[in-house]
Amino acid sequence: MLKKISHYFLPHPETHQKAKLLSWHFLVIYILIFILIRVSLDIVTIYKPGVLGVNAELSVDKIISDTNVERQKQGLPPVTYNSSLSEAAKMKAQNMFAENYWAHFAPSGKDPWGFMKAAGYRFSYAGENLARNFSTSDDMVKAWMASPTHRENILNSKYQDIGIAVEEGVLQGQKTILVVQMFGHPYEAVAVSPPSNQVNTVAQIEPTITPEVPSSKEIMVAGTQNQPVAAVLIDPMVIIKATGVGFIVLISILLLTDFIVLRRRGVFRLSSAHVAHLSFLALTGAATIFAKIGEIL
């Protein structure tokens, strides 16, 4: 029995064939396991919404601080926290959970500017960045800065105010941490001199710019909600990364063992099988390293 089991991990003592776990059949099995895990995670989001998700500690202050660091690198003044703009961002996040969408515009037609107006924020310029399922503020801001449109929002010299909402809920079947980042330039006002025949009249304040709903191009796209939140039982990224690392470690150990054993037997030689295994390792490593942690929009 032990001899049969050893053939799965060691080269054959007579034919010197590679360990069975390094055979083409098992390489196909490894790939199928990856696919099965991915499909299973998708099924879980449908039949057990809220079970999948990531845990994160994101603070409003840290997000604003990281944003201002990027602005200051470019010689731009920092943006200032605005409570009305933050309320608008919170309303937008809650609406995304309520209507179950991941977009700048809601299925019902609601847009970012409507939330700003509803929160009492009067603006002449405004923009919005979205993110979900990032575990740290640093990773999230780096992702925004790597995207030309989101970067343009962060480094827009017109913006003076910033509002941030970090809300948690179930979105599209998965426990999600949404971050809504809103920027704005408040309504400017100038004093208007009274008519000459009304010297004692108090000067009126009038806006210098008529508010207009920005077009989609101006977006530079970059809690509390109505759905119950189940406890996080499974972190999909942990599963995918753990599986990838497991395969990498297993195949690396088997290849190293194969090399040592065959060298001792004096029959080691490079073959096309080694190329296949190394290619599989490279692909698995790339998939593990570049597995998507969070999304921006």
Side-chain angles (χ1 to χ4, degrees):
M1 176 65 71
L2 291 177
K3 187 175 181 180
K4 289 183 178 180
I5 294 176
S6 68
H7 291 166
Y8 284 91
F9 301 92
L10 299 172
H12 195 280
E14 298 175 2
T15 64
H16 307 303
Q17 288 183 337
K18 294 189 176 302
K20 290 185 178 181
L21 291 178
L22 288 174
S23 67
W24 286 98
H25 298 89
F26 274 94
L27 287 180
V28 172
I29 290 175
Y30 301 149
I31 294 173
L32 291 177
I33 290 175
F34 259 118
I35 296 174
L36 179 61
I37 290 175
R38 180 68 266 178
V39 172
S40 298
L41 292 175
D42 291 338
I43 292 175
V44 169
T45 62
I46 296 174
Y47 292 101
K48 293 289 184 179
V51 172
L52 296 181
V54 298
N55 288 312
E57 293 184 1
L58 296 170
S59 72
V60 171
D61 289 343
K62 185 65 165 62
I63 297 171
I64 295 175
S65 174
D66 289 346
T67 299
N68 279 328
V69 166
E70 297 299 335
R71 289 178 63 87
Q72 290 167 359
K73 287 179 182 178
Q74 303 300 319
L76 297 171
V79 285
T80 304
Y81 172 83
N82 182 280
S83 58
S84 296
L85 206 51
S86 290
E87 179 62 25
K90 182 177 181 179
M91 292 166 61
K92 170 61 180 288
Q94 292 175 348
N95 182 254
M96 292 174 73
F97 286 124
E99 295 192 36
N100 197 36
Y101 68 96
W102 169 240
H104 287 285
F105 296 91
S108 61
K110 296 178 181 177
D111 57 43
W113 330 120
F115 294 111
M116 294 179 187
K117 292 178 180 178
Y121 184 79
R122 304 178 67 194
F123 61 90
S124 52
Y125 303 99
E128 176 184 80
N129 285 341
L130 301 177
R132 65 176 178 179
N133 289 338
F134 281 90
S135 57
T136 68
S137 171
D138 291 338
D139 289 338
M140 182 175 63
V141 174
K142 285 178 183 178
W144 278 334
M145 290 299 293
S147 166
T149 51
H150 296 83
R151 176 187 175 90
E152 190 174 355
N153 255 347
I154 291 175
L155 301 182
N156 193 318
S157 61
K158 295 177 181 177
Y159 297 143
Q160 297 179 7
D161 299 329
I162 186 172
I164 299 290
V166 180
E167 295 290 310
E168 186 177 292
V170 177
L171 184 68
Q172 297 172 344
Q174 181 172 327
K175 184 174 181 289
T176 303
I177 299 174
L178 281 179
V179 176
V180 179
Q181 182 185 55
M182 288 184 168
F183 297 96
H185 180 101
Y187 230 13
E188 292 181 341
V190 296
V192 179
S193 299
S196 58
N197 60 347
Q198 297 180 10
V199 178
N200 295 325
T201 303
V202 178
Q204 297 179 345
I205 302 298
E206 295 183 355
T208 59
I209 302 176
T210 302
E212 295 180 358
V213 177
S215 65
S216 58
K217 292 182 179 179
E218 290 177 288
I219 295 176
M220 301 176 194
V221 292
T224 304
Q225 22 70 34
N226 295 327
Q227 302 182 48
V229 181
V232 177
L233 302 179
I234 304 172
D235 186 333
M237 293 313 306
V238 170
I239 293 177
I240 293 173
K241 286 183 177 292
T243 304
V245 170
F247 284 141
I248 291 173
V249 171
L250 173 63
I251 295 176
S252 297
I253 292 175
L254 291 174
L255 286 175
L256 181 60
T257 303
D258 181 83
F259 172 77
I260 294 173
V261 172
L262 293 183
R263 278 294 296 270
R264 288 180 177 177
R265 294 177 185 173
V267 293
F268 177 78
R269 61 186 182 279
L270 290 173
S271 65
S272 59
H274 287 93
V275 176
H277 294 133
L278 293 175
S279 299
F280 181 83
L281 281 176
L283 291 173
T284 305
T288 302
I289 294 173
F290 295 107
K292 186 166 52 178
I293 299 176
E295 292 181 81
I296 61 174
L297 187 65

